[in-house]
Amino acid sequence: MSQSLNSLVSLLANAQCHLRTSTNLDGNYTQSNSVLNFQNSKDARFDGSEAWCASVIDTNQYIVAGCEIPRTFVAVSIQGRGDADQWVTSYKIRYSLDNITWSEYRNGAAIQGSSDRNSINTHFFDNPIRARSVAIHPVTWNNHISLRFELYTQPSLYTFTQIGHVDTGANGVLNSGTGGREIVVPVTFPVAFSKIPEIAISIDLIDSTADETNQTRILVETRNITTKSFECVFKTWHNSKIYGLRGDWTATINE
Amino acid sequence: MSQSLTGLVHLLANAQCHLRTSTNWDGNHTQANAVLNYQNSKDARFDGSEAWCASVNDTNQFIIAGCEVPRTFVALSIQGRGDADQWVTSYKIRYSLDNVTWVDYRNGAAIQGSTDRNTVTTHFFDTPLRARSVAIHPLTWSGHVSLRFELYTQPTLSTFTQIGHVDSGANGVLNSGTGAREIVVPVTFPVTFSKVPEIALTFDLIDSTADESNQVRVEVEARNVTAKSFECVFKTWWHSKVYSLRGDWTASINE
């Protein structure tokens, strides 16, 4: 089954996660150099490894990528060290959503890794993993524990919500006369949104008189919504009357 | 036009972003030393550059600041290397909100950078940039591709929301008698908020009997709202009767 990385977020390339390693060979072999396809100078001066390289060569080594926002991890790509014959031939994955309990992907079974310096091996998780932190644990390696990698996630949306309250007041124009009548309550958001929000209006007080045919007619709607404000419009119509209406508004964006 | 950095968040100084570089001169010249005004020891021992220094001096170098939460970027400050005559004389900016599509600020036009080691040059974006990741791409330099910098954003609010359900029950005190009557339903939030929330209430079931003047009177309000709980109060008054009310509450904070 062929799967695609299209439209996924490359976490390391976009600086969307923090990286922590078990050990580094020294300050020139750190997680700073671990992003997929990392290359530095090709001249004789040594400016660091083209990979993260561990200091200790055993099965206790790992690199953890941590996000503060939960992500849906779809795939991981792994690659060898670009400037030396070192690569991780198999690895396991552990992950955590709440950063208290960690789980073993595939019960800790080894996943096939790299077999040369530069080929990219991409593993699509059996089911996308919902997590904040994901760890790669090298299990077997060629010459040294060294790798470059990338993690691919679904885009993560950030929600921003504000709540407020609106009131028609008592015994206004909705409480007399007939035909279409409305009361407009302008609302300014405490904080301007970065894009136009969706708004849910809820009614929490109804004081209304049904008309001679026993019909209750109540409407509340939003009008002229911008990032800074909107109008909350309370309405009745035909022969119905309304003494008072009160409500709450909930405005939300996702980006 | 004079603009101000007052009230803005300094991302690097506050450790509010992750930094990724194209290359580093070596492990002593990394993004760890890139924050504006970074200085280290003044004695003879070399403890790293007072700047991020690239390994390769070409126009393929960059430093990316990534935030998981979208930010409104207002300005950027740039500075030279503190312990050597190296600075970036012009640069361009690229940015991404969704970390899938990247955009060229001012269509990739060069922005004036530094002309010495320590003077801070601040650029206010033409219009604030809404982004998660922002990259500085040096275009011209003196001595070496080396810089210190800072990014300034509007404060970012995080929303935490919980939703639940309340029910007055059937045929209670609201359904007989006259005058003001209420049913109090105590609600404990599943998770305690870190501050007192705003609450939106809504009816999703109304079973009510209009009185002899055809008036329906129903109200639900939040009382005694704390970070842990509130009282949901269902009310009617005068001669109206209410067989049953059911509703939902949405509680939200921004911090």
Side-chain angles (χ1 to χ4, degrees):
Chain A
M1 177 167 63
S2 162
Q3 286 157 289
S4 167
L5 298 175
N6 283 349
S7 299
L8 298 180
V9 172
S10 302
L11 283 189
L12 277 70
N14 283 277
Q16 285 294 298
C17 61
H18 183 67
L19 296 173
R20 176 173 88 85
T21 56
S22 50
T23 64
N24 298 324
L25 191 74
D26 69 30
N28 287 313
Y29 298 78
T30 74
Q31 56 269 45
S32 284
N33 300 358
S34 65
V35 65
L36 203 69
N37 293 316
F38 178 82
Q39 290 180 62
N40 46 26
S41 165
K42 298 303 179 190
D43 66 24
R45 181 182 62 84
F46 181 63
D47 55 351
S49 52
E50 290 176 350
W52 158 60
C53 304
S55 184
V56 180
I57 306 308
D58 66 20
T59 53
N60 296 323
Q61 305 308 305
Y62 56 81
I63 181 163
V64 181
C67 299
E68 293 194 59
I69 309 285
R71 308 272 182 162
T72 301
F73 291 80
V74 176
V76 55
S77 286
I78 192 167
Q79 189 183 36
R81 177 174 171 179
D83 61 332
D85 288 334
Q86 301 174 359
W87 47 82
V88 166
T89 45
S90 74
Y91 62 95
K92 67 177 185 177
I93 292 285
R94 302 183 75 241
Y95 61 93
S96 179
L97 178 57
D98 61 6
N99 293 126
I100 291 176
T101 303
W102 279 77
S103 301
E104 310 261 336
Y105 172 66
R106 285 186 176 175
N107 291 319
I111 301 162
Q112 183 171 337
S114 305
S115 52
D116 62 22
R117 291 189 186 191
N118 293 311
S119 299
I120 295 172
N121 278 72
T122 300
H123 174 78
F124 283 83
F125 299 115
D126 302 329
N127 291 305
I129 295 174
R130 187 70 180 164
R132 284 183 172 81
S133 302
V134 173
I136 298 177
H137 290 250
V139 175
T140 60
W141 50 88
N142 178 60
N143 286 333
H144 197 92
I145 295 178
S146 302
L147 60 85
R148 287 172 289 175
F149 77 114
E150 185 56 279
L151 285 161
Y152 306 93
T153 72
Q154 304 280 7
S156 278
L157 292 174
Y158 153 82
T159 288
F160 179 55
T161 299
Q162 298 183 81
I163 287 176
H165 315 284
V166 280
D167 199 322
T168 58
N171 202 15
V173 304
L174 304 183
N175 205 32
S176 58
T178 60
R181 288 150 284 146
E182 64 180 41
I183 290 176
V184 179
V185 180
V187 175
T188 300
F189 298 124
V191 174
F193 286 96
S194 56
K195 57 187 210 180
I196 294 178
E198 283 285 344
I199 302 181
I201 305 275
S202 56
I203 297 184
D204 62 22
L205 181 150
I206 301 172
D207 190 340
S208 101
T209 311
D211 70 5
E212 69 281 0
T213 56
N214 259 354
Q215 210 142 342
T216 298
R217 298 180 180 90
I218 297 170
L219 175 73
V220 61
E221 69 174 8
T222 59
R223 200 184 280 171
N224 294 330
I225 304 175
T226 73
T227 58
K228 295 184 202 289
S229 64
F230 74 101
E231 291 176 330
C232 186
V233 187
F234 296 92
K235 300 179 176 176
T236 192
W237 59 103
H238 220 259
N239 294 351
S240 299
K241 289 182 177 25
I242 300 180
Y243 187 86
L245 287 173
R246 193 185 70 203
D248 306 304
W249 56 263
T250 303
T252 288
I253 61 158
N254 283 310
E255 67 178 336
Chain B
M1 179 166 63
S2 163
Q3 285 156 289
S4 166
L5 298 177
T6 304
L8 299 180
V9 173
H10 300 209
L11 283 191
L12 278 70
N14 283 278
Q16 282 296 299
C17 60
H18 183 69
L19 296 174
R20 172 170 97 85
T21 56
S22 51
T23 66
N24 297 324
W25 183 254
D26 66 24
N28 288 311
H29 296 73
T30 74
Q31 58 270 45
N33 301 358
V35 65
L36 202 69
N37 294 315
Y38 177 82
Q39 288 180 62
N40 46 24
S41 165
K42 298 304 179 189
D43 68 25
R45 182 181 60 84
F46 181 64
D47 56 349
S49 52
E50 291 178 349
W52 159 60
C53 304
S55 184
V56 182
N57 286 310
D58 65 21
T59 54
N60 296 323
Q61 304 310 306
F62 56 81
I63 181 164
I64 301 178
C67 300
E68 295 192 59
V69 175
R71 308 271 181 164
T72 300
F73 290 81
V74 177
L76 175 155
S77 288
I78 193 167
Q79 190 183 35
R81 178 174 172 177
D83 61 332
D85 290 334
Q86 301 174 359
W87 48 83
V88 167
T89 45
S90 74
Y91 62 94
K92 66 177 185 178
I93 292 289
R94 303 185 74 236
Y95 61 96
S96 178
L97 177 58
D98 64 6
N99 293 125
V100 176
T101 302
W102 280 76
V103 179
D104 286 287
Y105 172 67
R106 286 187 176 173
N107 292 318
I111 301 162
Q112 184 171 333
S114 307
T115 51
D116 61 21
R117 292 189 185 191
N118 292 312
T119 304
V120 175
T121 306
T122 300
H123 174 78
F124 283 82
F125 299 114
D126 303 325
T127 309
L129 307 179
R130 189 71 181 165
R132 283 183 172 82
S133 302
V134 173
I136 299 174
H137 290 251
L139 294 175
T140 59
W141 50 88
S142 175
H144 196 92
V145 175
S146 301
L147 60 85
R148 289 172 288 175
F149 77 113
E150 185 56 277
L151 285 161
Y152 307 93
T153 73
Q154 303 279 7
T156 290
L157 293 172
S158 286
T159 291
F160 177 56
T161 299
Q162 300 182 81
I163 286 176
H165 315 285
V166 279
D167 198 325
S168 68
N171 202 14
V173 305
L174 304 182
N175 206 31
S176 59
T178 59
R181 288 149 283 150
E182 65 181 42
I183 291 175
V184 178
V185 180
V187 174
T188 301
F189 299 124
V191 174
T192 301
F193 286 96
S194 56
K195 58 186 206 180
V196 177
E198 281 284 344
I199 300 183
L201 291 166
T202 186
F203 298 116
D204 57 22
L205 180 149
I206 301 174
D207 189 339
S208 101
T209 311
D211 69 5
E212 68 280 359
S213 55
N214 256 355
Q215 207 141 341
V216 168
R217 298 179 181 90
V218 292
E219 178 178 354
V220 60
E221 75 169 2
R223 196 187 284 170
N224 293 331
V225 182
T226 73
K228 292 184 200 291
S229 65
F230 74 102
E231 292 177 328
C232 185
V233 188
F234 295 97
K235 300 179 181 177
T236 191
W237 57 101
W238 205 254
H239 296 177
S240 297
K241 291 184 176 20
V242 182
Y243 187 87
S244 177
L245 288 170
R246 195 183 69 196
D248 305 307
W249 55 264
T250 302
S252 195
I253 61 160
N254 283 312
E255 61 180 355

